[in-house]
Amino acid sequence: MINTSLAARPTRRGMLYALAAAGTLTTGGVVLDGARRAGAGGPPAPAASSPPAPPGRAAHGRPAGVRPDASKAREIRAEFLHAWRGYKRHAWGHDEVLPVSGRHREFFAKGHPVGLSIIEALDTHHLMGLDDEVDLCAEWITDRLDFDIDADFQVFETTIRLVGGLLAGYLATGRRGLLRRCVDLADRVLPAFTKSPTGMPYRYVNLRTGRVSGATLPLAEIGTNILEFGVLSDLTGDDRYWRAAKRALRAVVQRRSSIGLLATRLNVESGRWADRQGSAVDPPVDSFYEYLWGAWEMFRDEECRDWFRSFAAALRKYQAERVGDRLWFKHVDFRTGALLSRRQSSLAVAILPVGGDNALAADYYRSWTAVLDKYTVIPEAIDYRRMTVVSARNDLRPEYANCAFQLYWQTGDAYYRTTAWRYFQNLRKYHRVPGGYTVVTDVTRRPMPKGDHCPAYVFAENFKWLYLTFSGTSRFDYARGYLSTEGKVLRGLRRGRA
Ligand code: DMJ
């Protein structure tokens, strides 16, 4: 049943949301004002709840703002708009644009578009002050989008991209239609959790029938949902989402080895591991760890914090490895710690700063900066001992910019802006085409060959991380903001002048 009531049940998190919505809660020194977005007719400005930071201090110990660099922010915004116009021109209403051929493709299910790029872009438009685009997207979603689709949708991608995107859109605008769509979708996804004997979700769910499939899946797909589901529980007062996500996390943690590591894939019916490879911090486990920490940052869940800390300690002990002065993380047998592989994915760079261990995260970022220096555009994967390429593509990956922002935000060290700007310049030089932005198929060749695909996460991530790094926008509360693995702002969106 769809429950869009904003009357929170008296859970701790629900109570905080109710107080915030009533405009009586002070968070991080900011009184939530209950302001309405002009013309949107929305509810009071919500704030995804977490206990307030001590007065005068940011929730993360982060600075309350970044020094604006207006001219660089303008350039970044202009490139985001270039990519967006390509999508609008060639693919409007479809999931993703193929910007070279001017065609489009669907991400989740052939023949079933859900306007993925539109949903991914919502809060980026808002942060950049592109309010007409926000309105256009929100109207398409509320007037044209229907999730009653007879097709199998991947639960992980549906959650981080669609549920997260609709939540961020709602938090940005206060439009109830976006929250209603979000709740409808989350209710269609929930059977993936509730039909599982272990509580760990199946990989796919049919959005119309609730039929589930795919019993063996990696940790990131099992445990990257507590931020979206927790915020949704807060907003609706319906605890089913939070409970499902927490139960899934607990089921994974219970299966750690005697040396405190997790492998990569689990069968969610039998509860047994399908491999023995401890592959943190690489995908496909990366955001599992990110979300344990996130549950602490967003909801002050102490159990998740402690789980994160114990995995972080085991990671340092068994997987961290120095090659020269560079830090990497090897793959090991999760029961013995024996070496299995020195392959490293470029996606991993985004994970470390989330746990607040700046020294480790900074070292790891420098390792990836060495890869950027060597190849100009970072390849998908490397053998870190030889610094050679294992996968030469770059699928317009946002993770380096994500990490640069997190570290700049936490430390204020100009090094992260210098390197983020280098990433941006390379992005513009090697990925830009007349129809927008596209993937590179081999970073080792000159000229660098381009493919024909703009993944939808580009509208959620690459330009947003860069814009937040340089703009200092007043639409983002730098003191208490929090972003998901897909770059959705789940806390800290502000309205008013951009
Ligand atoms: C995004 O969808 C998210 O960042 C996710 O966590 C995994 N990686 C892609 C972008 O590379």
Side-chain angles (χ1 to χ4, degrees), residues 104 134 243 298 301 382 411:
H104 54 74
V134 174
R243 278 192 281 107
M298 285 283 288
D301 189 285
I382 60 163
T411 66

Side-chain angles (χ1 to χ4, degrees), residues 95-403:
D95 288 351
E96 296 184 323
V97 63
L98 308 180
V100 175
S101 60
R103 293 177 297 128
H104 54 74
R105 78 173 204 191
E106 312 315 343
F107 176 80
F108 289 99
K110 212 168 171 209
H112 296 290
V114 290
L116 175 61
S117 294
I118 295 174
I119 295 175
E120 296 264 36
L122 268 174
D123 66 336
T124 311
H125 286 315
H126 175 78
L127 290 170
M128 293 185 180
L130 298 164
D131 293 356
D132 291 347
E133 300 300 327
V134 174
D135 290 344
L136 191 70
C137 292
E139 274 151 31
W140 186 89
I141 291 164
T142 49
D143 297 351
R144 306 287 299 277
L145 186 57
D146 184 355
F147 288 121
D148 187 25
I149 298 171
D150 188 8
D152 294 340
F153 271 49
Q154 197 176 344
V155 171
F156 163 73
E157 302 288 5
T158 303
T159 305
I160 64 171
R161 293 163 182 256
L162 297 176
V163 173
L166 291 166
L167 277 176
Y170 171 69
L171 294 169
T173 63
R175 286 175 180 259
R176 280 176 180 274
L178 296 178
L179 183 60
R180 269 196 294 274
R181 283 282 175 285
C182 183
V183 172
D184 172 47
L185 179 61
D187 287 349
R188 293 172 188 276
V189 167
L190 264 189
F193 294 78
T194 55
K195 288 185 177 176
S196 161
T198 60
M200 295 184 281
Y202 284 89
R203 190 166 206 205
Y204 300 101
V205 64
N206 182 299
L207 291 189
R208 176 172 293 165
T209 65
R211 189 181 70 90
V212 293
S213 57
T216 299
L217 59 162
L219 296 189
E221 298 194 26
I222 295 171
T224 309
N225 37 60
I226 199 162
L227 295 186
E228 293 80 5
F229 282 12
V231 171
L232 193 57
S233 280
D234 279 2
L235 291 172
T236 59
D238 181 344
D239 240 20
R240 287 177 309 147
Y241 313 108
W242 166 265
R243 278 192 281 107
K246 185 74 192 283
R247 184 167 170 238
L249 289 178
R250 178 171 289 113
V252 174
V253 173
Q254 283 167 348
R255 288 164 172 82
R256 68 188 147 191
S257 72
S258 59
I259 62 170
L261 292 178
L262 300 169
T264 300
R265 287 185 172 76
L266 271 162
N267 182 300
V268 302
E269 287 175 344
S270 68
R272 293 208 189 90
W273 288 108
D275 62 29
R276 59 195 173 92
Q277 181 134 330
S279 52
V281 287
D282 273 347
V285 303
D286 45 358
S287 47
F288 171 83
Y289 300 98
E290 182 182 349
Y291 272 42
L292 291 179
W293 185 257
W296 161 246
E297 284 282 3
M298 285 283 288
F299 310 113
R300 285 294 180 256
D301 189 285
E302 293 176 1
E303 205 171 21
C304 286
R305 177 200 61 194
D306 294 347
W307 289 337
F308 176 89
R309 285 183 175 157
S310 82
F311 289 128
L315 179 79
R316 274 172 175 276
K317 184 166 174 191
Y318 294 103
Q319 293 183 252
E321 178 176 41
R322 300 260 169 195
V323 179
D325 59 352
R326 290 184 196 129
L327 172 69
W328 302 101
F329 295 92
K330 59 191 172 190
H331 295 194
V332 299
D333 185 311
F334 85 118
R335 292 204 177 94
T336 65
L339 172 70
L340 293 179
S341 158
R342 289 196 168 96
R343 184 186 196 277
Q344 197 93 125
S345 162
S346 64
L347 277 68
V349 69
I351 300 307
L352 288 188
V354 301
D357 186 338
N358 286 343
L360 202 69
D363 275 4
Y364 197 53
Y365 181 83
R366 282 180 189 270
S367 299
W368 281 105
T369 303
V371 179
L372 181 73
D373 290 343
K374 179 166 181 184
Y375 292 103
T376 314
V377 171
I378 295 176
E380 291 282 307
I382 60 163
D383 173 330
Y384 63 76
R385 199 171 39 171
R386 301 187 180 87
M387 284 292 268
T388 50
V389 170
V390 174
S391 170
R393 297 178 60 83
N394 181 302
D395 283 329
L396 270 167
R397 292 295 177 186
E399 281 77 10
Y400 184 83
N402 176 345
C403 188

